[in-house]
Amino acid sequence: MKPATPSYEHATVESDQKIIERIRLGDEKALAELYRNNIVMVRKYVMDNSGRDDDAKDMLQDALVVLWENVMRGDFDLTSKISTYIYSVVRNKWLREINKRKVGKVTSLDNYEVVEERIDALRNIIHKEEYRVILKCIDQMGATCRKVLTMFYLEEKGMEEIARVLHFNNTDVAKAKKWQCKKELEKIVKKQFK
């Protein structure tokens, strides 16, 4: 099975906890947003592992139903990013589906779970190293860029709060500064990997 990494490229200003609260209040638009933000990740994982586009859509819909039901029970505690949670549900459901269909050389779900755990452990090591390098690069930047990038990406603060705390005239100025700082960070990171 080929591993897939959860995608964070569609991260929104709204924190995952706010999305959970919207679901708890019955806001179905939150689920539509989660679908749009995670379909690429799910499609890649399922299609890399003997599935079709329709399978990916079904798996994501099933995962969102699981999330919805767990949140509505009232005792749901989000311990990871929502995209990580969705990826885990999809992966487990797809492994069971493959086992049921007897596709390829699937002999034991347990074997795949062991392999996936090892892949996850390796992925975590790689992410920690990348994270360390990015933090080091952010430290090389000017004070304003450090604050903007830290608040947005690490603390998951919204543009309004960033504009208020850093005394920007409005959120458009904050967005422009974040974009400028992100481009500067990309250049610094590229130099690290040359």
Side-chain angles (χ1 to χ4, degrees), residues 163-176:
R164 181 177 49 77
V165 170
L166 298 181
H167 307 292
F168 293 135
N169 289 336
N170 54 48
T171 56
D172 289 336
V173 174
K175 286 177 189 173

Side-chain angles (χ1 to χ4, degrees), residues 28-43:
E28 292 183 14
K29 287 182 182 176
L31 290 180
E33 287 173 26
L34 288 174
Y35 185 94
R36 284 192 306 274
N37 293 345
N38 290 280
I39 187 61
V40 173
M41 167 190 70
V42 171
R43 185 179 287 130

Side-chain angles (χ1 to χ4, degrees), residues 64-151:
L64 292 176
V65 168
V66 168
L67 175 64
W68 180 273
E69 288 172 349
N70 286 337
V71 169
M72 296 310 268
R73 272 202 329 254
D75 60 350
F76 181 74
D77 185 26
L78 186 67
T79 58
S80 64
K81 286 190 165 286
I82 291 178
S83 56
T84 303
Y85 177 87
I86 289 170
Y87 173 76
S88 297
V89 173
V90 165
R91 184 184 66 190
N92 291 334
K93 283 184 167 293
W94 185 241
L95 288 171
R96 285 189 194 93
E97 181 65 23
I98 287 176
N99 199 40
K100 193 170 85 177
R101 293 180 187 184
K102 304 281 189 226
V103 172
K105 297 179 181 177
V106 177
T107 56
S108 168
L109 182 60
D110 293 336
N111 290 343
Y112 281 111
E113 288 175 348
V114 168
V115 170
E116 287 288 335
E117 282 175 18
R118 290 179 185 155
I119 290 169
D120 284 346
L122 180 60
R123 190 180 299 128
N124 286 338
I125 291 167
I126 292 167
H127 284 315
K128 282 179 185 173
E129 182 58 24
E130 289 172 347
Y131 184 75
R132 189 188 64 74
V133 169
I134 289 170
L135 287 179
K136 182 180 165 189
C137 292
I138 288 174
D139 282 343
Q140 296 174 27
M141 303 180 79
T144 304
C145 277
R146 275 199 316 269
K147 287 177 187 171
V148 168
L149 295 176
T150 300
M151 289 179 75

